[in-house]
Structure formats: C-alpha cells, structure tokens
C-alpha cells in the first residue's frame, strides 16, 4: 500500500486536468500573442481559463494575472507595490511562507522599509487588535498575512483583518495558496486587495499560478519583456498549464462542500486515532480541533524511535512531511514550528490530505506508526 499524505506540498493531477492539458499540448500549440488562427486559438484558451478562474473567485477576468506559481505571484505583488510606491511600512508575521519573508528581506537591501511582525500566541493565532495597533498612525502601509498556514493549517480572520486595512487605506495581500479550491476564497467579501494561487496545490500542474489584483490597484511588473498579461507579466503564457489550472479550480469549486466534508472526516479520524495511540503527542496550532481541514501537524518528543519516524514511514510506503516542502531534507525544525514551540527537542510530522485519500489509508498509517513507535 502506497499512501500520499503530503498534499500541502503538492497534489496528484486529476485525470480531467491531464486530459485537458494533453489536448491543448497536441492541438493548440500556437503562441497566444500571434494574430493568425493558431495564435487566436491559443488566446481563446488563455482567456477562457481567465474567465473560469475569475468566476470561481467572484472577480472580473481583468483582475486575474497568470504567473509561474505562488512564489512568483508573491514576489510580484510585494515588489510591485513596495518598489514603486512611497510606502515604507510593512506589517506581516514570522509565520508567513519564506516567499514572503525572504522577499521582504531582499527588498530591505534596496529600500528602507520598516517591517512589523505581529505577535501570535503559542498556537499561531493573531489577534486582529494587534493589526489595528500596528496600523495606527500609518496612513499608508502594506499588510501581508496568509489565509491558512501551510504547516499548521491555522486560519487567520482575514475578512476582519481586511476591514481594518480598508479603514486605514493599507494594501492587503493574503497568501491563499493553501486555501483556494478548498474553502471559498472570494477576495471582495474578504476585503483583500490581492490573493494568490499555485495550481499544483489543487490537483493542477506545477509551475503555474495566478494573482488576483483588485482593479482599483496597480502594480509595477516584476518581469519585463513583451506586453503579455496587460504589461503585468512578460513572457509567453504557459497555455497548457493555464488551461489545466483553470480545469483544476473549476472542479475544486464545483464540489467544494463535498470535498470539504470528506477531507474533514479523514482529518478528524486521524486526530482521534493519533490521540488515542499517542496521548503524549501534541497537535500544533489549531490543527487538532479546527484549522484548515486538509492539514494536521503533530509533534512527538524526540526519542530514538521518533527521530526516524518520517524516514521509516517512507520505507513503509507512507509519504508525510517533516514540516514543509521548503525545509525537507533539513533536520532542523521549520521556522514556523520553531516560532510556535521554541527550540524544544521535538519531531514534527505534517499530514496533509486530499480527496484522493481514504479512511483505510488513515487507519493503516496509524497502525504502522503504532508498530514503529512500540
Ligand atoms: N505560499 C504557501 C502558503 C505555500 O504553501 C507555498 C508552497 O508550498 C507557496 C506560497 C509557494 O508556492 P509555489 O510552490 O507555487 O511557488
């Protein structure tokens, strides 16, 4: 039995997505910027994909810009805003993805910016009151806070935080990589200026994503060249990947409630089974009780047996993460777990689920863990 519980890192492609992409690769190889019939066919595919994505977000097609994935989307929005505006005050959190933290660190080498990291509790919750205080006296700021954390699944009250940003005129980017296609992400009702997506987290292809940018906002492009994406992102569009991403999001949004319930039940079953088998294990963030239904993070005290747990699960055909994909291969705890738990000697596993997992897989995984830790 081979089990894949690392869906927050990447997901298997849905058959319909593969079929859609293969068909575009075979039939529609034209450059969407070419004006002949081959180019026009490819253009129609790109624009249909934009329409589909916009519908899923309750947005306008002109508010969607294609990128090579989540990291490029984040870098584009942050740099595109900070490097060309007089804004120097940034509010974020140390629990953000490295795409945010390292991008801001890099900008600091070129421009004086004051970065305020909002405090969080031991579970990773951030009180919106702290945001209000941080923005007080700053008529223009940039706020970057993720919708759900990719390691703990903690969900932030983005709508409430967005309302605070709107009151003070701050630009608000929310990293929705882990939530788009899993819970409703409707930027207008969430009071955000920008959200981003990475297709490979929702059964779409790697290396493609998009930015939603409210039509009331403008950004300077990160990548310069041709006039693609209305001068916002130069470079020939990855037509098959864009078509695949739109198909993946369409499928995810059509059945969002069904998948939510199914995946929530898998996670609840895992929480109960792990809790019964290993009462000394700690669920990180809010992942043991609520949090995003697809992510469960659990820490074990470091022992000879737990130290090798991720490796031994892999030997037994079970793929889990030791933190996040970005830190895999490193024995160090991830920056998120270190922020929440300090430098304690712990072994952390992240289980992340998709609609392709089954209750039998959950049961089998916990049985293997019981054997490994006996
Ligand atoms: N933001 C979050 C929360 C993520 O989980 C990831 C990927 O793990 C990214 C951004 C980066 O996305 P991509 O892999 O498309 O560059």
């Amino acid at each position: 039995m081979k089990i894949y519980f690392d869906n927050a890192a990447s997901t298997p492609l849905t058959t319909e997505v593969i079929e859609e992409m293969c068909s575009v690769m075979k039939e529609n190889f034209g450059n969407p910027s070419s004006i002949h019939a081959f180019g026009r066919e490819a253009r129609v595919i790109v624009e249909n994909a934009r329409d589909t994505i916009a519908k899923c977000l309750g947005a306008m097609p002109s508010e969607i810009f294609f990128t090579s994935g989540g990291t490029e989307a984040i870098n584009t929005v942050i740099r595109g805003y900070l490097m060309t505006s007089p804004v120097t005050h940034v509010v974020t959190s140390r629990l953000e993805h490295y795409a945010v933290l390292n991008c801001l660190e890099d900008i600091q080498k070129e421009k004086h910016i004051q970065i305020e990291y909002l405090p969080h509790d031991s579970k990773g919750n951030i009180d919106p009151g702290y945001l209000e205080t941080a923005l007080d006296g700053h008529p223009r700021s940039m706020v970057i806070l993720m919708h759900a954390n990719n390691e703990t699944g903690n969900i932030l009250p983005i709508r409430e935080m967005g309302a605070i940003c709107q009151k003070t005129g701050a630009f608000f980017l929310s990293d929705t990589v882990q939530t788009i296609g899993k819970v409703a992400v409707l930027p207008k009702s969430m009071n955000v200026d920008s959200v981003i997506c990475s297709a490979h987290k929702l059964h779409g292809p790697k290396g493609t994503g998009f930015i939603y940018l409210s039509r009331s906002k403008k950004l300077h492009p990160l990548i310069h060249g041709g006039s693609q994406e209305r001068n916002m992102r130069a470079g020939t569009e990855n037509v098959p990947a864009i078509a695949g991403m739109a198909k993946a999001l369409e499928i995810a949004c059509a059945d969002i409630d069904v998948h939510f319930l199914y995946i929530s039940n898998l996670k609840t079953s895992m929480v109960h089974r792990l809790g019964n088998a290993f009462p000394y294990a700690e669920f990180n963030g809010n992942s043991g009780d609520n949090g995003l239904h697809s992510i469960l993070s659990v820490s074990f005290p470091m022992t000879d047996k737990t130290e090798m747990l991720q490796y031994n699960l892999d030997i037994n055909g079970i793929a889990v993460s030791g933190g996040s994909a970005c830190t895999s291969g490193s024995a160090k705890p991830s920056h998120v777990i270190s922020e929440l738990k300090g430098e304690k000697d712990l072994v952390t596993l992240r289980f992340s689920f998709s609609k392709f997992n089954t209750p039998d897989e959950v049961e089998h995984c916990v049985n293997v863990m019981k054997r490994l830790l006996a």
Side-chain angles (χ1 to χ4, degrees):
M1 193 179 205
K2 275 197 144 203
I3 301 179
Y4 185 75
F5 280 148
D6 199 12
N7 292 282
S10 201
T11 49
L13 276 83
T14 311
T15 308
E16 290 100 306
V17 171
I18 298 172
E19 282 167 3
E20 176 77 18
M21 291 178 70
C22 288
S23 152
V24 173
M25 279 190 269
K26 279 190 208 142
E27 311 294 336
N28 311 103
F29 55 85
N31 185 322
S33 297
S34 300
I35 54 168
H36 48 61
F38 293 85
R40 291 199 306 274
E41 265 177 25
R43 171 59 52 208
V44 167
I45 288 168
V46 170
E47 296 316 318
N48 283 347
R50 205 186 305 279
D51 285 355
T52 302
I53 291 168
K55 270 201 197 93
C56 291
L57 270 69
M60 287 186 303
S62 59
E63 294 176 309
I64 306 297
F65 299 91
F66 296 120
T67 68
S68 69
T71 301
E72 185 194 317
I74 288 171
N75 276 262
T76 303
V77 180
I78 298 180
R79 277 200 159 261
Y81 187 67
L82 285 179
M83 293 312 284
T84 53
S85 78
V87 171
T88 56
H89 182 241
V90 181
V91 180
T92 185
S93 141
R94 292 196 193 279
L95 304 173
E96 291 293 307
H97 192 272
Y98 274 133
V100 169
L101 300 177
N102 290 347
C103 177
L104 287 171
E105 200 174 291
D106 194 55
I107 290 173
Q108 270 183 319
K109 294 178 198 151
E110 297 165 52
K111 174 177 173 175
H112 165 76
I113 49 170
Q114 181 204 344
I115 307 175
E116 267 191 65
Y117 297 98
L118 294 179
H120 54 78
D121 68 14
S122 63
K123 297 214 163 225
N125 300 311
I126 297 176
D127 186 333
Y130 289 130
L131 176 62
E132 205 150 18
T133 309
L135 293 178
D136 194 29
H138 291 280
R140 292 182 71 190
S141 304
M142 179 171 211
V143 175
I144 308 156
L145 292 167
M146 68 207 316
H147 193 189
N149 188 278
N150 50 302
E151 292 192 46
T152 61
N154 257 31
I155 298 179
L156 293 181
I158 292 299
R159 184 196 293 238
E160 197 181 334
M161 290 169 149
I164 295 168
C165 291
Q166 282 184 346
K167 235 177 23 199
T168 58
F171 182 108
F172 189 16
L173 161 66
S174 185
D175 174 351
T176 47
V177 162
Q178 293 295 342
T179 51
I180 284 198
K182 300 195 184 91
V183 294
V185 172
L186 301 166
K188 290 203 172 61
S189 56
M190 287 163 74
N191 305 318
V192 293
D193 296 305
S194 186
V195 301
I196 56 140
C197 174
S198 172
H200 71 112
K201 311 288 185 180
L202 52 111
H203 308 291
K206 291 174 186 56
T208 195
F210 66 81
I211 297 168
Y212 156 86
L213 178 70
S214 159
R215 74 189 163 126
S216 64
K217 300 287 180 226
K218 287 272 165 299
L219 292 178
H220 190 73
L222 179 72
I223 294 174
H224 300 271
S227 57
Q228 290 92 349
E229 296 300 293
R230 285 151 288 127
N231 290 311
M232 253 280 287
R233 202 282 188 175
T236 302
E237 298 89 339
N238 186 346
V239 183
I242 288 171
M245 170 164 62
K247 177 58 82 185
L249 188 59
E250 189 179 29
I251 294 170
C253 291
D255 284 328
I256 205 157
D257 295 337
V258 176
H259 295 145
F260 180 89
L261 192 63
Y262 180 76
I263 297 169
S264 299
N265 285 337
L266 293 178
K267 176 170 151 175
T268 307
S269 162
M270 184 65 117
V271 168
H272 287 144
R273 285 172 191 278
L274 288 178
N276 288 336
F278 314 107
Y280 51 87
E282 288 173 24
F283 295 110
N284 297 314
N286 295 317
S287 68
D289 10 294
N290 44 50
L292 192 66
H293 56 299
S294 53
I295 296 182
L296 178 64
S297 172
V298 58
S299 291
F300 298 87
M302 171 86 79
T303 64
D304 289 354
K305 284 179 180 164
T306 58
E307 193 177 13
M308 299 300 285
L309 189 53
Q310 186 192 357
Y311 175 79
N312 284 329
L313 283 170
D314 189 27
I315 304 252
N316 280 274
I318 303 170
V320 301
S321 163
S324 78
C326 323
T327 51
S328 58
S330 149
K332 270 178 47 179
S334 76
H335 72 285
V336 173
I337 298 301
S338 300
E339 266 295 313
L340 298 185
K341 317 221 48 119
E343 297 302 321
K344 285 189 221 156
D345 253 358
L346 293 171
V347 171
T348 299
L349 295 185
R350 179 188 67 182
F351 300 89
S352 48
F353 310 97
S354 84
K355 62 181 178 180
F356 293 125
N357 292 124
T358 65
D360 284 352
E361 290 179 340
V362 171
E363 187 181 349
H364 180 73
C365 175
V366 179
N367 286 340
V368 171
M369 287 174 72
K370 281 189 198 161
R371 183 160 50 76
L372 292 173
L373 297 183

